[in-house]
Amino acid sequence: MRTIQLGTSTLQVPVVAVGCMRINRLSKPEAEKFIRTALEEGANFFDHADIYGGGACEEIFADAIGMNAEIRSSMILQSKVGIRKGMFDFSKEHILSSVDGILKRLRTDYLDVLLLHRPDALVEPEEVAEAFDQLHSSGKVRWFGVSNQKPMQIELLKRYVRQPIVANQLQLSITNATMIASGINVNMENDSAIDRDGSVLDYCRLHDITIQPWSPFQYGFFEGVFLDNPKFPELNKKIDEIAANHGVSNTTIAIAWLLRHPAKMQPVTGTMNIDRLRDCCKASEVHLSREEWYEIYRAAGNILP
């Protein structure tokens, strides 16, 4: 598995992160096999959140693998906090209590990475800074990041937070690529030219913040996968053609398309299927040409200016 540096941290992480949002759908033996397969593939970066399964996903993960010090040392654990029922909450009290709950469920005394889960309209960055300082000094969290945040939201945090922001988890896939399309369609009078995120892609590259694309196979907002979907005939035809040329699956090509971007992203998978997980990991070994990358981009319905 190829690795990259996560933002400005000292962490060398696999280019494919393993999302655990659906691990509560597996039995304990199935979950153990899934985790061990990921480790065998070199995909030892696991992404969690305190709301996944109401916390059950973290408990199931730790129980299935029989978490202990030796196993913990073989993996990188990331989790997210800030989403509550009907609201977002980045208060110091909620961040600290949420992390304690995460550590208990994961049976570990530290997280490698903690992300703020989506923006909180009522965020008080001074409180976030106090929480981060306490978590960092106590050794409970080593590195920090955000998710679904625009550049100015990150800048506001950085005014008070002393620790570097090393990751930003953002929705991005072949069919959800507005952050790429707006950069291509600069100064154009079309919908693709609309900047919906404050040029977050360029901002993250400028500030060495690793983008973690979530839902890399989804179109819309959890409307379904685009692979093998009759709604996307041209896209699937092109992906299948390129997959055949490389001797890999369409799943591999979908991840390889994200990895081809020079921003050095770390896609977060969501599958609980072991074969598809292996296919995702194979993308680490596939390098799409510039021509192939643009062919897929255009086949998704994007028009070059």
Side-chain angles (χ1 to χ4, degrees), residues 74-126:
S74 70
M75 57 179 59
I76 301 169
L77 295 181
Q78 171 177 283
S79 195
K80 302 181 285 291
V81 300
I83 297 180
R84 296 175 61 187
K85 186 175 181 179
M87 70 176 77
F88 300 106
D89 189 349
F90 289 176
S91 66
K92 177 182 177 181
E93 179 182 9
H94 182 70
I95 292 172
L96 294 178
S97 63
S98 295
V99 169
D100 285 341
I102 290 169
L103 297 180
K104 182 178 180 180
R105 291 189 293 272
L106 286 174
R107 300 186 196 173
T108 181
D109 55 6
Y110 73 96
L111 283 175
D112 294 285
V113 188
L114 175 71
L115 304 185
L116 296 178
H117 209 172
R118 292 195 172 274
D120 175 13
L122 302 182
V123 62
E124 296 183 54
E126 301 94 331

Side-chain angles (χ1 to χ4, degrees), residues 11 33 221:
L11 293 174
K33 185 176 182 181
F221 188 67

Side-chain angles (χ1 to χ4, degrees), residues 7-265:
T8 56
S9 77
T10 57
L11 293 174
Q12 286 293 318
V13 300
V15 293
V16 174
V18 181
C20 297
M21 185 173 72
R22 300 180 179 89
I23 201 167
N24 59 337
R25 299 180 182 180
L26 304 181
S27 65
K28 181 177 177 179
E30 290 171 336
E32 179 184 8
K33 185 176 182 181
F34 177 83
I35 298 166
R36 293 197 182 281
T37 298
L39 292 172
E40 290 166 4
E41 293 290 328
N44 68 333
F45 188 108
F46 297 93
D47 175 71
H48 294 271
D50 59 353
I51 63 163
Y52 292 167
C57 290
E58 291 168 332
E59 290 180 337
I60 291 167
F61 179 91
D63 185 49
I65 198 66
M67 186 67 77
N68 56 40
E70 182 181 359
I71 293 172
R72 178 65 182 90
S73 67
S74 70
M75 57 179 59
I76 301 169
L77 295 181
Q78 171 177 283
S79 195
K80 302 181 285 291
V81 300
I83 297 180
R84 296 175 61 187
K85 186 175 181 179
M87 70 176 77
F88 300 106
D89 189 349
F90 289 176
S91 66
K92 177 182 177 181
E93 179 182 9
H94 182 70
I95 292 172
L96 294 178
S97 63
S98 295
V99 169
D100 285 341
I102 290 169
L103 297 180
K104 182 178 180 180
R105 291 189 293 272
L106 286 174
R107 300 186 196 173
T108 181
D109 55 6
Y110 73 96
L111 283 175
D112 294 285
V113 188
L114 175 71
L115 304 185
L116 296 178
H117 209 172
R118 292 195 172 274
D120 175 13
L122 302 182
V123 62
E124 296 183 54
E126 301 94 331
E127 279 200 43
V128 174
E130 290 176 7
F132 282 11
D133 281 346
Q134 189 168 326
L135 291 169
H136 189 258
S137 63
S138 66
K140 292 181 179 180
V141 178
R142 297 184 173 178
W143 301 98
F144 299 86
V146 297
S147 72
N148 306 287
Q149 294 208 11
K150 298 167 69 170
M152 287 301 100
Q153 293 170 320
I154 298 174
E155 284 296 308
L156 179 61
L157 281 176
K158 287 169 65 177
R159 182 178 178 183
Y160 299 92
V161 171
R162 294 190 295 175
Q163 296 78 16
I165 302 299
V166 300
N168 190 4
Q169 200 166 109
L170 298 160
Q171 184 175 15
L172 178 61
S173 69
I174 295 170
T175 53
N176 283 48
T178 56
M179 71 178 71
I180 293 174
S182 63
I184 292 176
N185 288 272
V186 172
N187 203 39
M188 298 296 293
E189 294 184 350
N190 56 36
D191 288 345
S192 295
I194 298 173
D195 183 358
R196 294 175 168 84
D197 48 47
S199 298
V200 70
L201 173 57
D202 296 324
Y203 173 85
C204 287
R205 294 181 73 182
L206 282 168
H207 293 272
D208 297 316
I209 298 172
T210 297
I211 291 177
Q212 297 177 329
W214 56 268
S215 289
F217 305 108
Q218 292 275 335
Y219 68 93
F221 188 67
F222 295 108
E223 292 182 41
V225 298
F226 57 81
L227 292 176
D228 298 319
N229 189 323
K231 291 183 178 180
F232 303 93
E234 292 186 21
L235 175 59
N236 279 288
K237 180 180 179 181
K238 178 54 64 176
I239 289 176
D240 290 347
E241 174 190 316
I242 293 173
N245 291 339
H246 284 270
V248 296
S249 72
N250 57 357
T251 296
T252 301
I253 294 300
I255 296 294
W257 187 84
L258 293 169
L259 295 180
R260 176 61 177 84
H261 196 282
K264 297 180 181 178
M265 303 180 192

